[in-house]
């Protein structure tokens, strides 16, 4: 695609593409069977991928939102699970990058870039889409806060060193009563709960978190008291661009399997690639992938320029996620019976794709966000 990347972005894209082909893609099937790989994380860290868009002074590579979209996009061509792992790491770390005090940035961003895994804990067993309805509480005590409650469906939680946790500091104030806290692994009472046995994205770790009177020091309060919901929504705007990038990369992975198969599979005396029914499927896949790429980089550019991108990020997430599920399903159809077997991998890609319609805001919720925004626009 011809989006205008800088020379440095192209260099990073090619470096991540090469790393993905060598180190990530060959592991995707094994990750689906065995779960998250610490060995692969160590290699990603060595490559400098974990903090690629953080400023150099905090241990990063000084990239921007376009650089992070490029990185996630390339990784997703080899493994959507690993792209999701990085997306969740950044979802948490970016809250500190954008809202942390200087002391928090100096302590935690180099850690996120070079030492530890981060997780972002908003969702609870009884509150997902209705995020303002969370019930985890944070009560003020001498020198800090006591966090009590539980979180569900937290990506990276079981392997994380640092977790950004959203809790109610004023249970009667709705969204305005939510505050963000930085919680370190090993803090007494901060426990990893049940590991989710997921349909797809099995190479990323997803667990419950249990908070039993976890004492968090005052210096780990992130942003303002009552400002946590806003911090979470800003972080999710950025992460939805990453979901667009995952959708584009994962769908391309599926399309390439379908293309290769269509060119070699013979039916009625000629390759099925010669049949219009198959050409039409590939054409629709290619159109959807290109549109998702353009929407992803357009939203990333708005973010990089410091412009509002809530609507555009929601649009690319809805469009990309649905395009990706459809592309994976059509890739299976292109392979016929073989598509339904684990041998050709597209069944795994469809299982991975479905998450994109659910995590970080469901398609239904995001259509509400887009619809209300567009209806309120003057022209
Ligand atoms: C693999 C995975 C990883 C995740 N990682 C994280 C993470 O790292 N951190 C984190 O905090 N959360 C995470 N989540 C949670 C995720 O963000 C939520 O699952 C998602 O927001 C939906 O919430 P829910 O599951 O409670 O569904 P619900 O909110 O119960 O929704 C159920 C259904 O009702 C629909 N619905 C609900 N309200 C409305 C409405 N007002 N209008 C129309 N339809 C509606 C939804 O669209 C959905 O179809 C993850 C989830 C998964 C599956």
């Amino acid at each position: 695609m011809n989006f205008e990347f800088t020379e440095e972005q192209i260099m990073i894209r090619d470096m991540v593409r090469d790393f993905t082909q060598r180190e990530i893609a060959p592991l995707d099937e094994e990750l689906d069977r065995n779960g998250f790989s610490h060995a692969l994380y160590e290699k990603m860290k060595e490559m400098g991928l974990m903090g690629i868009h953080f400023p150099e002074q905090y241990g990063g590579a000084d990239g921007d939102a376009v650089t992070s979209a490029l990185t996630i996009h390339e990784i997703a061509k080899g493994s959507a699970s690993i792209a999701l792992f990085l997306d969740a790491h950044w979802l948490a770390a970016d809250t500190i990058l954008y809202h942390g005090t200087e002391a928090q940035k100096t302590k935690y961003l180099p850690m996120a870039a070079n030492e530890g895994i981060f997780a972002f804990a908003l969702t609870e067993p009884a509150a997902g889409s209705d995020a303002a309805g969370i019930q985890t509480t944070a009560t003020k005590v001498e020198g800090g806060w006591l966090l009590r409650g539980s979180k569900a469906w937290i990506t990276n939680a079981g392997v994380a060193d640092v977790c950004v946790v959203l809790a109610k500091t004023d249970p009667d104030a709705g969204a305005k009563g939510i505050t963000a806290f930085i919680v370190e692994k090993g803090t007494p009472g901060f426990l990893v709960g049940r590991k989710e046995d997921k349909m797809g994205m099995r190479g990323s770790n997803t667990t419950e978190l249990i908070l039993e009177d976890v004492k968090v020091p005052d210096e780990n309060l992130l942003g303002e008291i009552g400002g946590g919901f806003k911090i979470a929504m800003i972080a999710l705007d950025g992460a939805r661009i990453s979901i667009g990038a995952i959708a584009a990369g994962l769908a391309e992975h599926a399309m390439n399997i379908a293309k290769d198969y269509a060119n070699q599979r013979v039916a009625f005396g000629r390759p099925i690639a010669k049949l219009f029914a198959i050409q039409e499927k590939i054409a629709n896949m290619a159109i959807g992938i290109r549109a998702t790429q353009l929407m992803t980089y357009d939203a990333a550019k708005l973010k990089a320029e410091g412009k509002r991108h809530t609507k555009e990020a929601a649009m690319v997430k809805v469009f990309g996620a649905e395009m990706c599920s459809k592309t994976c399903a059509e890739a299976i159809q292109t392979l016929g019976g073989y598509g339904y077997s684990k041998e050709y991998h597209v069944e795994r890609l469809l299982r991975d794709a479905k998450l994109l319609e659910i995590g970080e805001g469901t398609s239904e919720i995001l259509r509400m966000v887009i619809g209300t925004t567009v209806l309120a626009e003057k022209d």
Side-chain angles (χ1 to χ4, degrees):
M1 63 172 288
N2 299 322
F3 195 85
E4 282 179 25
F5 299 120
T6 63
E7 264 177 41
E8 196 171 3
Q9 285 164 347
I10 290 171
M11 214 179 68
I12 289 175
R13 180 195 66 190
D14 293 348
M15 180 267 287
V16 181
R17 186 173 290 175
D18 176 64
F19 177 77
T20 299
Q21 279 165 4
R22 275 188 297 108
E23 304 285 354
I24 299 180
L27 289 182
D28 194 40
E29 187 185 358
E30 189 187 319
L31 292 167
D32 183 56
R33 264 185 280 113
N34 301 331
F36 180 74
S37 161
H38 280 277
L40 179 56
Y41 162 61
E42 290 298 326
K43 289 184 183 168
M44 291 172 72
K45 210 166 62 175
E46 271 168 37
M47 286 296 290
L49 300 184
M50 304 306 293
I52 207 152
H53 62 283
F54 303 165
E56 257 176 46
Q57 69 185 110
Y58 302 121
D62 237 357
D64 64 6
V66 175
T67 320
S68 35
L70 272 171
T71 303
I72 294 262
H73 183 192
E74 290 303 325
I75 292 176
K77 292 178 191 175
S79 171
S81 286
I82 296 304
L84 183 71
F85 153 68
L86 189 56
D87 163 42
H89 173 76
W90 285 343
L91 175 60
D94 283 0
T95 61
I96 299 171
L97 176 63
Y98 299 127
H99 309 279
T101 61
E102 197 47 48
Q104 288 169 342
K105 289 196 242 185
T106 305
K107 177 171 181 192
Y108 290 106
L109 293 178
M111 204 190 257
N114 301 308
E115 285 166 50
I117 297 170
F118 281 44
F120 172 86
L122 173 63
T123 305
E124 299 186 355
S129 303
D130 181 14
I134 59 169
Q135 289 164 14
T136 295
T137 54
T139 313
K140 188 74 189 93
V141 291
E142 181 71 32
W145 298 79
L146 268 193
L147 270 57
R148 184 181 299 168
S150 65
K151 297 286 173 182
W153 293 104
I154 308 306
T155 306
N156 299 346
V159 294
D161 300 281
V162 175
C163 198
V164 172
V165 177
L166 283 300
K168 282 259 169 90
T169 39
D170 181 351
D172 300 322
K176 291 198 171 121
I178 296 175
T179 303
F181 297 89
I182 305 168
V183 187
E184 293 188 26
K185 176 176 153 184
T187 309
F190 190 47
L191 308 168
V192 174
R194 185 171 60 108
K195 183 176 170 203
E196 299 299 346
D197 190 8
K198 293 174 294 184
M199 166 183 174
M201 294 290 193
R202 295 175 66 87
S204 69
N205 172 284
T206 315
T207 68
E208 294 176 340
L209 275 178
I210 295 148
L211 298 109
E212 289 176 352
D213 289 337
V214 180
K215 173 106 187 260
V216 180
D218 280 328
E219 63 264 26
N220 281 21
L221 187 147
L222 180 61
E224 290 174 7
I225 295 172
F229 190 78
K230 201 167 167 203
I231 289 176
M233 293 305 121
I234 291 170
L236 285 165
D237 282 347
R240 285 168 191 154
I241 303 173
S242 294
I243 297 287
I246 297 176
L250 171 52
E252 189 175 324
H253 188 175
M255 181 179 75
N256 286 339
I257 295 174
K259 261 168 63 180
D260 290 348
Y261 187 85
N263 280 320
Q264 58 83 25
R265 173 70 173 182
V266 173
F268 300 98
R270 56 189 186 148
I272 60 169
K274 300 282 181 204
L275 302 170
F276 178 69
I278 299 299
Q279 291 165 358
E280 188 184 29
K281 287 189 201 306
I282 302 291
N284 287 337
M285 292 178 198
I287 293 165
I289 292 165
R290 183 166 170 77
T292 303
Q293 284 174 356
L294 291 169
M295 289 172 79
T296 297
Y297 290 112
D298 175 60
K301 193 154 180 284
L302 287 176
K303 181 171 184 232
E305 289 168 352
K307 295 183 182 150
R308 184 101 206 250
H309 53 276
T310 300
K311 180 182 72 177
E312 291 77 8
M315 283 175 162
V316 67
K317 180 169 185 300
V318 171
F319 183 85
E322 292 176 1
M323 176 286 297
C324 189
S325 291
K326 186 141 191 272
T327 296
C328 293
E330 285 291 80
I332 291 176
Q333 194 68 15
T334 305
L335 271 71
Y338 291 106
Y340 203 65
S341 122
K342 285 193 184 286
E343 192 187 340
Y344 281 80
H345 309 294
V346 274
E347 63 79 34
R348 178 178 78 247
L349 304 190
L350 178 60
R351 287 189 283 107
D352 287 349
K354 187 63 193 167
L355 181 269
L356 305 179
E357 296 177 54
I358 299 168
E360 296 176 13
T362 64
S363 294
E364 290 82 0
I365 293 294
L366 293 180
R367 279 198 166 84
M368 267 169 42
V369 170
I370 298 162
T372 49
T373 308
V374 172
L375 282 163
E377 282 170 354
K378 293 278 180 272
D379 44 43

